Amino acid sequence: MNIIYTVCNRTNLAHALALADSVLQHQPGHVFYLGLVDSPGIDNLAEHIKLIPVTAFEIPGWDKMAADYYDFELVPACRPWFALEILKKHPECRQLTFLAPTVQLKKSFDSLLDAGSELFLTPNISSPLKKSPVLDDKRILNAGMYHSGSWTLRPSDKTMAALQWWAQRSVDRAYFDLCNGMNTDQLWLNYMPVWIPATATLHYPGWHYGLNAVLNKNLVANGNAYEADGQPLVSLDFAGLGHFDPVWSDHAALVTANKAFQALFMEYQRIVMRKKSELEISGQPAFGKYANIAPNRLTRKGIAAKLKELATYIDQF
């Protein structure tokens, strides 16, 4: 049994449902689980989606997590806990894949996974970034070497121990606080090759194409299909586009760096809007502190930059 799962709240529930449809189309042999860090009533879910609400199982320290984390921190902090719960429900699972709600599959990824590895990670970059005022290597280093929007593990003693270690740290060390060495669930992935020697890094150009890739990989339309650096496009991640993402929304301007990616994002937006109209869910997520960040984020960043310039000027004298 192979399983794909995602984790979301009402903010990105429509995105998760769009992901589920792409999984059904391109990985029809996989079971799809939707982990919900929220409490809206969801009626008439498609048959190919299995729902697990966060309240259906126990996370140690859950009440404190829900009170202390912002909602956009709480969702990724719960990801390893959902993985443990799914594997507990399905000891027969041979392969577990996490995909962020903002991912869309365009082809099957089975051929990318070699038989000898126990863990597959997605690098944020596979080569030094081309010069850009929007994104550079240092920012990638701060965010983490691996993209937390996709990973695959094969259950074993080593992978289960690593997953448990990661989950325990997400209880109180998954804030978005780069200055104190935290970046939601993501920085802990840096340790995974130490825990699991049989770790493979997926450098395939058409895998997980998103804002992390537009500077270095050329995505083009080829008839009705797409290719990245001459290889078929397998998956996309629209993290940072459409709703607030603590890492990638700072780099949303990069969407215009590749016309094919921009066109695919517009198509994706239409899919998500249809899903939202079907859901009719509004309001704030039930768990986590609510932060209305998106409307004033760029203004605040601009003011902070000006204040930094002024402080630097004062320091010179």
mmCIF file with all atom_site columns, all heavy atoms in Angstrom, residues 201-214:
data_model
loop_
_atom_site.group_PDB
_atom_site.id
_atom_site.type_symbol
_atom_site.label_atom_id
_atom_site.label_alt_id
_atom_site.label_comp_id
_atom_site.label_asym_id
_atom_site.label_entity_id
_atom_site.label_seq_id
_atom_site.pdbx_PDB_ins_code
_atom_site.Cartn_x
_atom_site.Cartn_y
_atom_site.Cartn_z
_atom_site.occupancy
_atom_site.B_iso_or_equiv
_atom_site.pdbx_formal_charge
_atom_site.auth_seq_id
_atom_site.auth_comp_id
_atom_site.auth_asym_id
_atom_site.auth_atom_id
_atom_site.pdbx_PDB_model_num
ATOM 1   N N   . THR A 1 201 ? 18.352 12.477 -2.883  1.00 0.00 ? 201 THR A N   1
ATOM 2   C CA  . THR A 1 201 ? 17.920 13.842 -3.172  1.00 0.00 ? 201 THR A CA  1
ATOM 3   C C   . THR A 1 201 ? 17.434 13.896 -4.607  1.00 0.00 ? 201 THR A C   1
ATOM 4   O O   . THR A 1 201 ? 18.159 13.500 -5.528  1.00 0.00 ? 201 THR A O   1
ATOM 5   C CB  . THR A 1 201 ? 19.073 14.844 -2.972  1.00 0.00 ? 201 THR A CB  1
ATOM 6   O OG1 . THR A 1 201 ? 19.599 14.679 -1.649  1.00 0.00 ? 201 THR A OG1 1
ATOM 7   C CG2 . THR A 1 201 ? 18.585 16.269 -3.133  1.00 0.00 ? 201 THR A CG2 1
ATOM 8   N N   . LEU A 1 202 ? 16.203 14.375 -4.801  1.00 0.00 ? 202 LEU A N   1
ATOM 9   C CA  . LEU A 1 202 ? 15.580 14.362 -6.125  1.00 0.00 ? 202 LEU A CA  1
ATOM 10  C C   . LEU A 1 202 ? 15.959 15.627 -6.894  1.00 0.00 ? 202 LEU A C   1
ATOM 11  O O   . LEU A 1 202 ? 15.358 16.684 -6.721  1.00 0.00 ? 202 LEU A O   1
ATOM 12  C CB  . LEU A 1 202 ? 14.059 14.252 -5.992  1.00 0.00 ? 202 LEU A CB  1
ATOM 13  C CG  . LEU A 1 202 ? 13.551 12.971 -5.321  1.00 0.00 ? 202 LEU A CG  1
ATOM 14  C CD1 . LEU A 1 202 ? 12.032 13.002 -5.182  1.00 0.00 ? 202 LEU A CD1 1
ATOM 15  C CD2 . LEU A 1 202 ? 13.989 11.735 -6.106  1.00 0.00 ? 202 LEU A CD2 1
ATOM 16  N N   . HIS A 1 203 ? 16.953 15.498 -7.762  1.00 0.00 ? 203 HIS A N   1
ATOM 17  C CA  . HIS A 1 203 ? 17.430 16.636 -8.555  1.00 0.00 ? 203 HIS A CA  1
ATOM 18  C C   . HIS A 1 203 ? 16.772 16.696 -9.936  1.00 0.00 ? 203 HIS A C   1
ATOM 19  O O   . HIS A 1 203 ? 17.167 17.523 -10.754 1.00 0.00 ? 203 HIS A O   1
ATOM 20  C CB  . HIS A 1 203 ? 18.956 16.561 -8.719  1.00 0.00 ? 203 HIS A CB  1
ATOM 21  C CG  . HIS A 1 203 ? 19.707 16.803 -7.451  1.00 0.00 ? 203 HIS A CG  1
ATOM 22  N ND1 . HIS A 1 203 ? 19.868 18.058 -6.899  1.00 0.00 ? 203 HIS A ND1 1
ATOM 23  C CD2 . HIS A 1 203 ? 20.339 15.936 -6.618  1.00 0.00 ? 203 HIS A CD2 1
ATOM 24  C CE1 . HIS A 1 203 ? 20.576 17.971 -5.784  1.00 0.00 ? 203 HIS A CE1 1
ATOM 25  N NE2 . HIS A 1 203 ? 20.868 16.695 -5.590  1.00 0.00 ? 203 HIS A NE2 1
ATOM 26  N N   . TYR A 1 204 ? 15.820 15.838 -10.196 1.00 0.00 ? 204 TYR A N   1
ATOM 27  C CA  . TYR A 1 204 ? 15.170 15.804 -11.510 1.00 0.00 ? 204 TYR A CA  1
ATOM 28  C C   . TYR A 1 204 ? 14.569 17.180 -11.826 1.00 0.00 ? 204 TYR A C   1
ATOM 29  O O   . TYR A 1 204 ? 13.808 17.740 -11.025 1.00 0.00 ? 204 TYR A O   1
ATOM 30  C CB  . TYR A 1 204 ? 14.076 14.736 -11.501 1.00 0.00 ? 204 TYR A CB  1
ATOM 31  C CG  . TYR A 1 204 ? 13.328 14.605 -12.805 1.00 0.00 ? 204 TYR A CG  1
ATOM 32  C CD1 . TYR A 1 204 ? 13.888 13.926 -13.883 1.00 0.00 ? 204 TYR A CD1 1
ATOM 33  C CD2 . TYR A 1 204 ? 12.063 15.168 -12.950 1.00 0.00 ? 204 TYR A CD2 1
ATOM 34  C CE1 . TYR A 1 204 ? 13.187 13.809 -15.072 1.00 0.00 ? 204 TYR A CE1 1
ATOM 35  C CE2 . TYR A 1 204 ? 11.369 15.054 -14.139 1.00 0.00 ? 204 TYR A CE2 1
ATOM 36  C CZ  . TYR A 1 204 ? 11.937 14.369 -15.200 1.00 0.00 ? 204 TYR A CZ  1
ATOM 37  O OH  . TYR A 1 204 ? 11.255 14.258 -16.379 1.00 0.00 ? 204 TYR A OH  1
ATOM 38  N N   . PRO A 1 205 ? 14.879 17.775 -12.988 1.00 0.00 ? 205 PRO A N   1
ATOM 39  C CA  . PRO A 1 205 ? 14.456 19.159 -13.279 1.00 0.00 ? 205 PRO A CA  1
ATOM 40  C C   . PRO A 1 205 ? 12.947 19.378 -13.253 1.00 0.00 ? 205 PRO A C   1
ATOM 41  O O   . PRO A 1 205 ? 12.492 20.470 -12.911 1.00 0.00 ? 205 PRO A O   1
ATOM 42  C CB  . PRO A 1 205 ? 15.017 19.400 -14.691 1.00 0.00 ? 205 PRO A CB  1
ATOM 43  C CG  . PRO A 1 205 ? 16.121 18.417 -14.852 1.00 0.00 ? 205 PRO A CG  1
ATOM 44  C CD  . PRO A 1 205 ? 15.723 17.215 -14.064 1.00 0.00 ? 205 PRO A CD  1
ATOM 45  N N   . GLY A 1 206 ? 12.175 18.357 -13.617 1.00 0.00 ? 206 GLY A N   1
ATOM 46  C CA  . GLY A 1 206 ? 10.729 18.519 -13.685 1.00 0.00 ? 206 GLY A CA  1
ATOM 47  C C   . GLY A 1 206 ? 9.999  18.192 -12.396 1.00 0.00 ? 206 GLY A C   1
ATOM 48  O O   . GLY A 1 206 ? 8.774  18.150 -12.380 1.00 0.00 ? 206 GLY A O   1
ATOM 49  N N   . TRP A 1 207 ? 10.751 17.981 -11.312 1.00 0.00 ? 207 TRP A N   1
ATOM 50  C CA  . TRP A 1 207 ? 10.133 17.648 -10.024 1.00 0.00 ? 207 TRP A CA  1
ATOM 51  C C   . TRP A 1 207 ? 10.037 18.889 -9.153  1.00 0.00 ? 207 TRP A C   1
ATOM 52  O O   . TRP A 1 207 ? 11.003 19.597 -8.937  1.00 0.00 ? 207 TRP A O   1
ATOM 53  C CB  . TRP A 1 207 ? 10.939 16.577 -9.304  1.00 0.00 ? 207 TRP A CB  1
ATOM 54  C CG  . TRP A 1 207 ? 10.458 16.283 -7.908  1.00 0.00 ? 207 TRP A CG  1
ATOM 55  C CD1 . TRP A 1 207 ? 11.095 16.558 -6.738  1.00 0.00 ? 207 TRP A CD1 1
ATOM 56  C CD2 . TRP A 1 207 ? 9.214  15.654 -7.548  1.00 0.00 ? 207 TRP A CD2 1
ATOM 57  N NE1 . TRP A 1 207 ? 10.345 16.140 -5.671  1.00 0.00 ? 207 TRP A NE1 1
ATOM 58  C CE2 . TRP A 1 207 ? 9.179  15.587 -6.131  1.00 0.00 ? 207 TRP A CE2 1
ATOM 59  C CE3 . TRP A 1 207 ? 8.139  15.138 -8.281  1.00 0.00 ? 207 TRP A CE3 1
ATOM 60  C CZ2 . TRP A 1 207 ? 8.099  15.025 -5.448  1.00 0.00 ? 207 TRP A CZ2 1
ATOM 61  C CZ3 . TRP A 1 207 ? 7.067  14.586 -7.595  1.00 0.00 ? 207 TRP A CZ3 1
ATOM 62  C CH2 . TRP A 1 207 ? 7.057  14.522 -6.196  1.00 0.00 ? 207 TRP A CH2 1
ATOM 63  N N   . HIS A 1 208 ? 8.848  19.180 -8.659  1.00 0.00 ? 208 HIS A N   1
ATOM 64  C CA  . HIS A 1 208 ? 8.596  20.237 -7.677  1.00 0.00 ? 208 HIS A CA  1
ATOM 65  C C   . HIS A 1 208 ? 9.091  21.597 -8.192  1.00 0.00 ? 208 HIS A C   1
ATOM 66  O O   . HIS A 1 208 ? 9.847  22.307 -7.525  1.00 0.00 ? 208 HIS A O   1
ATOM 67  C CB  . HIS A 1 208 ? 9.271  19.895 -6.350  1.00 0.00 ? 208 HIS A CB  1
ATOM 68  C CG  . HIS A 1 208 ? 8.528  20.464 -5.171  1.00 0.00 ? 208 HIS A CG  1
ATOM 69  N ND1 . HIS A 1 208 ? 7.460  19.830 -4.588  1.00 0.00 ? 208 HIS A ND1 1
ATOM 70  C CD2 . HIS A 1 208 ? 8.678  21.618 -4.487  1.00 0.00 ? 208 HIS A CD2 1
ATOM 71  C CE1 . HIS A 1 208 ? 7.011  20.565 -3.582  1.00 0.00 ? 208 HIS A CE1 1
ATOM 72  N NE2 . HIS A 1 208 ? 7.721  21.659 -3.502  1.00 0.00 ? 208 HIS A NE2 1
ATOM 73  N N   . TYR A 1 209 ? 8.607  21.963 -9.359  1.00 0.00 ? 209 TYR A N   1
ATOM 74  C CA  . TYR A 1 209 ? 8.977  23.247 -9.951  1.00 0.00 ? 209 TYR A CA  1
ATOM 75  C C   . TYR A 1 209 ? 8.129  24.343 -9.305  1.00 0.00 ? 209 TYR A C   1
ATOM 76  O O   . TYR A 1 209 ? 6.902  24.279 -9.279  1.00 0.00 ? 209 TYR A O   1
ATOM 77  C CB  . TYR A 1 209 ? 8.727  23.220 -11.460 1.00 0.00 ? 209 TYR A CB  1
ATOM 78  C CG  . TYR A 1 209 ? 9.287  24.419 -12.194 1.00 0.00 ? 209 TYR A CG  1
ATOM 79  C CD1 . TYR A 1 209 ? 10.492 24.328 -12.875 1.00 0.00 ? 209 TYR A CD1 1
ATOM 80  C CD2 . TYR A 1 209 ? 8.624  25.639 -12.191 1.00 0.00 ? 209 TYR A CD2 1
ATOM 81  C CE1 . TYR A 1 209 ? 11.020 25.423 -13.552 1.00 0.00 ? 209 TYR A CE1 1
ATOM 82  C CE2 . TYR A 1 209 ? 9.143  26.736 -12.855 1.00 0.00 ? 209 TYR A CE2 1
ATOM 83  C CZ  . TYR A 1 209 ? 10.340 26.623 -13.533 1.00 0.00 ? 209 TYR A CZ  1
ATOM 84  O OH  . TYR A 1 209 ? 10.859 27.722 -14.191 1.00 0.00 ? 209 TYR A OH  1
ATOM 85  N N   . GLY A 1 210 ? 8.804  25.360 -8.748  1.00 0.00 ? 210 GLY A N   1
ATOM 86  C CA  . GLY A 1 210 ? 8.104  26.471 -8.117  1.00 0.00 ? 210 GLY A CA  1
ATOM 87  C C   . GLY A 1 210 ? 8.984  27.696 -8.049  1.00 0.00 ? 210 GLY A C   1
ATOM 88  O O   . GLY A 1 210 ? 9.931  27.837 -8.842  1.00 0.00 ? 210 GLY A O   1
ATOM 89  N N   . LEU A 1 211 ? 8.710  28.579 -7.109  1.00 0.00 ? 211 LEU A N   1
ATOM 90  C CA  . LEU A 1 211 ? 9.496  29.808 -6.985  1.00 0.00 ? 211 LEU A CA  1
ATOM 91  C C   . LEU A 1 211 ? 10.963 29.512 -6.683  1.00 0.00 ? 211 LEU A C   1
ATOM 92  O O   . LEU A 1 211 ? 11.837 30.339 -6.978  1.00 0.00 ? 211 LEU A O   1
ATOM 93  C CB  . LEU A 1 211 ? 8.914  30.697 -5.884  1.00 0.00 ? 211 LEU A CB  1
ATOM 94  C CG  . LEU A 1 211 ? 7.522  31.273 -6.160  1.00 0.00 ? 211 LEU A CG  1
ATOM 95  C CD1 . LEU A 1 211 ? 7.033  32.075 -4.955  1.00 0.00 ? 211 LEU A CD1 1
ATOM 96  C CD2 . LEU A 1 211 ? 7.526  32.158 -7.408  1.00 0.00 ? 211 LEU A CD2 1
ATOM 97  N N   . ASN A 1 212 ? 11.235 28.340 -6.112  1.00 0.00 ? 212 ASN A N   1
ATOM 98  C CA  . ASN A 1 212 ? 12.617 27.953 -5.864  1.00 0.00 ? 212 ASN A CA  1
ATOM 99  C C   . ASN A 1 212 ? 13.373 27.607 -7.138  1.00 0.00 ? 212 ASN A C   1
ATOM 100 O O   . ASN A 1 212 ? 14.605 27.535 -7.130  1.00 0.00 ? 212 ASN A O   1
ATOM 101 C CB  . ASN A 1 212 ? 12.657 26.747 -4.918  1.00 0.00 ? 212 ASN A CB  1
ATOM 102 C CG  . ASN A 1 212 ? 11.919 25.544 -5.478  1.00 0.00 ? 212 ASN A CG  1
ATOM 103 O OD1 . ASN A 1 212 ? 10.806 25.683 -5.985  1.00 0.00 ? 212 ASN A OD1 1
ATOM 104 N ND2 . ASN A 1 212 ? 12.495 24.374 -5.402  1.00 0.00 ? 212 ASN A ND2 1
ATOM 105 N N   . ALA A 1 213 ? 12.653 27.385 -8.235  1.00 0.00 ? 213 ALA A N   1
ATOM 106 C CA  . ALA A 1 213 ? 13.278 26.854 -9.451  1.00 0.00 ? 213 ALA A CA  1
ATOM 107 C C   . ALA A 1 213 ? 13.335 27.834 -10.612 1.00 0.00 ? 213 ALA A C   1
ATOM 108 O O   . ALA A 1 213 ? 14.111 27.635 -11.552 1.00 0.00 ? 213 ALA A O   1
ATOM 109 C CB  . ALA A 1 213 ? 12.531 25.597 -9.911  1.00 0.00 ? 213 ALA A CB  1
ATOM 110 N N   . VAL A 1 214 ? 12.534 28.901 -10.597 1.00 0.00 ? 214 VAL A N   1
ATOM 111 C CA  . VAL A 1 214 ? 12.373 29.703 -11.813 1.00 0.00 ? 214 VAL A CA  1
ATOM 112 C C   . VAL A 1 214 ? 13.664 30.406 -12.241 1.00 0.00 ? 214 VAL A C   1
ATOM 113 O O   . VAL A 1 214 ? 13.840 30.685 -13.430 1.00 0.00 ? 214 VAL A O   1
ATOM 114 C CB  . VAL A 1 214 ? 11.239 30.738 -11.671 1.00 0.00 ? 214 VAL A CB  1
ATOM 115 C CG1 . VAL A 1 214 ? 9.900  30.054 -11.557 1.00 0.00 ? 214 VAL A CG1 1
ATOM 116 C CG2 . VAL A 1 214 ? 11.470 31.650 -10.479 1.00 0.00 ? 214 VAL A CG2 1
#
